[in-house]
Amino acid sequence: MTYGRGNRAVEALRGIDFELKSGECLGLLGANGSGKSTTLKLVLGILRPTAGDLVVLGGPAGRRKARAATGYVPEEARRFGALSGRETVDLFARLQGVRGRVDRKRRVEDALEVVGLTPKARGQRLSTYSRGMARRLAMAAAWVHAPRLLVLDEPTSGLDPLGAEELLALLDKHRRRGGATLLSTHDRVT
């Protein structure tokens, strides 16, 4: 993957090759600037490769079918400060095509429960959330539509040790139900 052209071209990735199957978790470990986020953006279809082939969930990266089956947690999730946690996850459920008010409400509450946001926190405006609470909420938004693939950029950033442990348990649950996880980190995750 190369950014720019001519004399200003910068090679961000070269020779990367991996396969991620259902029920597997793959971590990209490296220093800042090593290409981890670029790799995730390629998998998500946000960037297009300048060379080579990239297949995600059986087809080209970025196609609608792959996007619909993927949950993404960016390193810095934007906060819609006027919305509550519950409203935010409901919005993402709608965007991911979760239909039916009763089913969507159940999925939203399940996702919020799984990530450990209390009933009180679920009703609070995001402007009041700590960074750790915002990370949990971003995970709930990625989890709400039961994706086949979870893509996480620095998922433990902003979490205390207990929160990081709970996140890893959630990723293990995703793995056991046959989901695949691709994550990047500069921290060693066990």
Side-chain angles (χ1 to χ4, degrees), residues 84-87 109 112-113 117-124 129:
S84 71
R86 184 176 288 111
E87 291 167 337
E109 292 303 319
L112 291 165
E113 180 71 29
L117 282 173
T118 66
K120 180 181 177 186
R122 296 171 197 182
Q124 290 176 326
Y129 273 33

Side-chain angles (χ1 to χ4, degrees), residues 23-62:
E24 292 182 342
C25 181
L26 176 67
L28 305 174
L29 176 63
N32 290 337
S34 63
K36 300 179 309 290
S37 293
T38 297
T39 301
L40 298 185
K41 289 175 183 174
L42 286 163
V43 168
L44 292 165
I46 296 169
L47 296 175
R48 293 182 187 259
T50 54
D53 296 312
L54 180 60
V55 176
V56 177
L57 298 171

Side-chain angles (χ1 to χ4, degrees), residues 118-148:
T118 66
K120 180 181 177 186
R122 296 171 197 182
Q124 290 176 326
R125 302 288 169 226
L126 297 189
S127 59
T128 68
Y129 273 33
S130 67
R131 187 167 184 217
M133 288 172 68
R135 295 300 292 164
R136 289 172 185 266
L137 185 71
M139 189 66 199
W143 178 266
V144 71
H145 68 289
R148 291 176 47 203

Side-chain angles (χ1 to χ4, degrees), residues 65-125:
K65 184 178 177 183
R67 287 192 320 261
T70 302
Y72 173 53
V73 179
E75 181 174 5
E76 289 296 327
R78 290 187 179 224
R79 299 183 193 185
F80 304 102
L83 296 179
S84 71
R86 184 176 288 111
E87 291 167 337
T88 300
V89 177
D90 183 70
L91 171 65
F92 279 88
R94 288 173 188 233
L95 291 172
Q96 286 292 1
V98 177
R99 302 287 178 238
R101 188 179 312 178
V102 173
D103 182 43
R104 191 173 59 249
K105 182 177 180 180
R106 180 189 53 78
R107 285 185 184 220
V108 167
E109 292 303 319
D110 287 350
L112 291 165
E113 180 71 29
V114 162
V115 300
L117 282 173
T118 66
K120 180 181 177 186
R122 296 171 197 182
Q124 290 176 326
R125 302 288 169 226

